[in-house]
Amino acid sequence: VIGVVIGKTDVRSFPDRKNIGSERYTFSFTIRDSPTYFINVTSWGREEYIRALSESFRVGDCVTIENPLVQSKEAEREEKFNPITPSCYKLLLSENHSVVKTSSCYEMDTKLLSLLHLPVKDPQDYYSLGDITANGQSLDGRILNVLAAVMSVSQ
């Protein structure tokens, strides 16, 4: 699978249920290879493997994923922590079988770069910050998609 990384989580750790006293590490990212299709990728493993893999690329890089495990996603559980994707599958990376290679999008396909700036949601499914400010009380308790731009960053 070849695509541009459009999102990425931080590395997290969880107690390992099989090996009491040790931890398993994970992180996820989302890749896109067309305006319509993108998929979530998750990797679990030893701390050294997960940290090295996470540090090997960033959002905006093009990656080639070899030998991922294709799994059906559990929609309710998966989409609490990852972007909602149009696919009913997810990719799982294994330390022993999978390989992630990074390369310049210019080397691979400049069309991939244009995918980085496309929204992952339907353009009719957003609230503006003005809508939220004006209608805040009636939106209380609802989950909303927000489309906003960062104008500046300061201390």
Side-chain angles (χ1 to χ4, degrees):
V1 177
I2 298 172
V4 62
V5 178
I6 62 171
K8 184 176 165 191
T9 67
D10 292 330
V11 172
R12 299 182 320 263
S13 66
F14 295 92
D16 189 339
R17 290 185 220 164
K18 293 179 184 173
N19 298 316
I20 306 302
S22 62
E23 294 189 334
R24 291 183 67 201
Y25 287 77
T26 185
F27 85 103
S28 301
F29 58 100
T30 305
I31 63 168
R32 182 177 223 162
D33 67 356
S34 74
T36 309
Y37 295 104
F38 47 99
I39 193 165
N40 292 319
V41 184
T42 302
S43 185
W44 287 87
R46 296 176 305 112
E47 180 178 13
E48 301 79 26
Y49 167 70
I50 295 299
R51 290 202 186 280
L53 182 59
S54 176
E55 292 169 5
S56 70
F57 62 88
R58 61 180 194 245
V59 171
D61 286 347
C62 288
V63 295
T64 302
I65 300 173
E66 298 176 0
N67 296 325
L69 178 63
V70 179
Q71 290 184 324
S72 296
K73 68 181 179 185
E74 300 165 41
E76 286 191 21
R77 196 172 127 227
E78 303 289 334
E79 293 175 347
K80 280 184 182 177
F81 307 106
N82 292 306
I84 296 170
T85 63
S87 173
C88 55
Y89 300 100
K90 65 179 180 177
L91 302 179
L92 185 64
L93 301 180
S94 158
E95 182 173 1
N96 297 327
H97 299 97
S98 307
V99 176
V100 177
K101 298 176 185 174
T102 60
S103 59
S104 163
C105 287
Y106 291 109
E107 292 172 17
M108 301 192 69
D109 187 349
T110 53
K111 288 181 254 169
L112 288 174
L113 275 180
S114 65
L115 302 175
L116 189 57
H117 303 291
L118 292 178
V120 295
K121 290 282 194 174
D122 178 348
Q124 306 304 313
D125 192 24
Y126 290 107
Y127 282 84
S128 70
L129 294 176
D131 291 340
I132 294 170
T133 302
N135 303 305
Q137 293 297 327
S138 64
L139 300 173
D140 189 29
R142 292 186 51 203
I143 296 174
L144 306 174
N145 296 316
V146 178
L147 181 59
V150 177
M151 292 178 52
S152 68
V153 177
S154 62
Q155 289 185 337

